[in-house]
Amino acid sequence: MNFKPVQILSIGMSIPETVITNDNLTKILDTSDEWISTRTGIKQRHIANGDENSTLFGINAAKDALDKAGISGEEIDAIVVATSNPYNIYPSTGCAIQEAIGAKNAIAFDITVACTGMIYALEIGRSFISTGKYKNVLLVATDTNSKFLDWTDRGSCVLFGDGASSILITEAKDGNDDIIALNVNADGTMGKHITMNLIGDNCPLVEPAKEGCKKITMNGKEVYKFVMHTMPESIMQCLADANMEPKDIDYLVPHQANLRIIEGLQNRLEFSDDKVIVNIDKYGNTSAASVPIALYEGIETGKIKTPSYAILCAFGAGMAWGSAVVRLRENLNKKS
Ligand code: ACO
């Protein structure tokens, strides 16, 4: 079979306007800007307000990517949405986005892989394109973890922010594949270290309704230890699959979960600061949306120059993790 190559056409993002600083959090938690900044690198996060929700941000991020690529909703063949806290379980966020952008020819569905969602979505999207059956695939990541955090647990609630991002991919007409290598992984035996239950109630004829648990729990130390050995392995494997070495890569665009984890990866790759994209200070951990938001801002601020090569990497609940070596084309996100 002749696999079709993939072109990354555009990247979009959408972030709530409301900003909560570390100092703001000291009003409800026994914490400090000093503790949060030094342990995580986070200074503030954007949080959904009122009726804002993950569908809304997902729609906005999807429209942004379409606009940047100059493509209409009708030209989209598939929409894959990575979300761990959809506004509705059904209809899926994918179907809501399909309606909102008029993508009447697209299939649409959601996947749940927490913070690694966009790397998994990229794997699904490129597989769709590689068969030749789908041409334009819209990948969206959207999470509003703020609605599911335990705001009395200072060990987890300070880490997250809300937001959405999108990547539009298409069949590469010139034969050059922009996804040079990609690996995704999962280890369910580590699942207990980050959880968000959606336990419903039984039929009232069986037993009375009980207090539901929709809160995120996290054993930060275990997650940290796990990530510090799996993520470098994943990146090195990806580089080997791409037949490249760290020196061939221009930028590391990592999941923005903790600055110390990012610095660990940076040291392993022996990258200087100008090669590592960091915006955790502004947004915190935006879960599945985090990597494309960093990529988007890296390009917009001029820190990322194109054409270039980047490593994208993410990890999170599952545990699941993954990396991709991608080509960033000259015109990426620059409307002609
Ligand atoms: N403010 C002040 N003190 C705090 C806070 C806070 N916000 N949070 C915890 N502490 C305290 C603890 O109570 C503890 O106090 P004690 O020593 O008196 O018991 C002390 O600080 C140390 O706590 P630790 O949990 O050991 O702190 P650690 O250095 O491990 O940092 C952190 C915690 C930041 C969560 C870190 O472990 C981490 O980043 N882990 C990785 C998390 C991650 O990357 N998750 C990504 C996936 S998320 C997803 O997929 C949904």
Side-chain angles (χ1 to χ4, degrees):
M1 187 172 170
N2 231 351
F3 290 111
K4 309 285 183 198
V6 170
Q7 177 177 353
I8 299 173
L9 272 182
S10 61
I11 300 153
M13 69 176 270
S14 171
I15 283 284
E17 275 182 20
T18 305
V19 171
I20 303 291
T21 65
N22 293 344
D23 281 334
N24 293 150
L25 288 176
T26 62
K27 295 193 182 108
I28 56 167
L29 290 167
D30 179 14
T31 190
S32 64
D33 176 49
E34 202 268 332
W35 193 97
I36 301 171
S37 303
T38 51
R39 300 278 179 134
T40 71
I42 299 166
K43 299 293 286 180
Q44 62 173 45
R45 71 284 296 139
H46 291 241
I47 298 287
N49 198 340
D51 292 338
E52 291 176 340
N53 59 66
S54 50
T55 298
L56 174 79
F57 299 124
I59 289 170
N60 290 343
K63 286 180 175 170
D64 191 18
L66 291 182
D67 186 44
K68 290 208 161 47
I71 279 196
S72 73
E74 287 187 14
E75 294 172 84
I76 301 297
D77 302 305
I79 301 169
V80 184
V81 178
T83 180
S84 300
N85 27 63
Y87 186 55
N88 297 305
I89 301 288
Y90 47 80
S92 70
T93 311
C95 286
I97 292 174
Q98 186 225 33
E99 181 192 12
I101 65 172
K104 62 181 187 192
N105 302 309
I107 63 162
F109 60 95
D110 296 358
I111 60 167
T112 303
V113 205
C115 303
T116 319
M118 193 49 116
I119 308 290
Y120 270 72
L122 212 46
E123 173 79 326
I124 293 167
R126 80 155 170 166
S127 306
F128 277 13
I129 288 172
S130 75
T131 64
K133 187 169 177 190
Y134 303 90
K135 294 266 183 273
N136 297 322
V137 180
L138 178 62
L139 313 173
V140 180
T142 184
D143 277 314
T144 48
N145 277 301
S146 69
K147 294 178 190 281
F148 297 92
L149 285 163
D150 177 352
W151 286 100
T152 65
D153 175 16
R154 64 180 183 174
S156 60
C157 73
V158 303
L159 304 175
F160 293 91
D162 300 333
S165 60
S166 55
I167 303 180
L168 181 55
I169 56 177
T170 190
E171 184 186 323
K173 300 284 182 303
D174 63 3
N176 291 320
D177 203 335
D178 291 353
I179 302 176
I180 295 156
L182 187 151
N183 69 55
V184 283
N185 312 270
D187 180 356
T189 67
M190 296 294 291
K192 60 181 180 281
H193 295 305
I194 317 176
T195 67
M196 188 179 84
N197 295 319
L198 280 180
I199 50 168
D201 286 318
N202 289 330
C203 167
L205 295 174
V206 178
E207 63 179 333
K210 54 189 175 307
E211 179 82 350
C213 168
K214 291 187 292 182
K215 303 285 188 244
I216 293 168
T217 69
M218 188 174 68
N219 181 338
K221 269 207 183 331
E222 286 302 324
V223 175
Y224 194 96
K225 277 194 296 192
F226 185 74
V227 167
M228 288 315 280
H229 73 88
T230 49
M231 211 61 255
E233 275 170 21
S234 163
I235 290 174
M236 290 306 171
Q237 183 60 53
C238 214
L239 283 170
D241 294 344
N243 209 10
M244 294 170 101
E245 294 179 34
K247 67 172 171 49
D248 302 320
I249 300 292
D250 302 294
Y251 305 104
L252 171 66
V253 188
H255 176 40
Q256 309 285 311
N258 184 314
L259 187 58
R260 288 185 296 162
I261 294 175
I262 295 173
E263 286 169 352
L265 298 176
Q266 173 177 0
N267 292 340
R268 177 71 189 266
L269 291 166
E270 298 182 3
F271 275 12
S272 52
D273 287 351
D274 57 323
K275 294 180 71 168
V276 183
I277 307 304
V278 176
N279 62 4
I280 190 171
D281 51 322
K282 283 164 66 181
Y283 300 118
N285 179 350
T286 54
S287 209
S290 140
V291 170
I293 289 176
L295 187 54
Y296 182 108
E297 288 209 334
I299 294 169
E300 191 156 274
T301 59
K303 181 160 183 181
I304 292 180
K305 311 266 188 292
T306 53
S308 53
Y309 293 103
I311 296 174
L312 317 181
C313 67
F315 54 85
M319 297 285 295
W321 66 102
S323 316
V325 173
V326 298
R327 179 199 326 273
L328 306 174
R329 295 190 184 220
E330 174 88 62
N331 53 355
L332 184 61
N333 267 27
K334 289 169 196 137
K335 258 184 161 173
S336 50

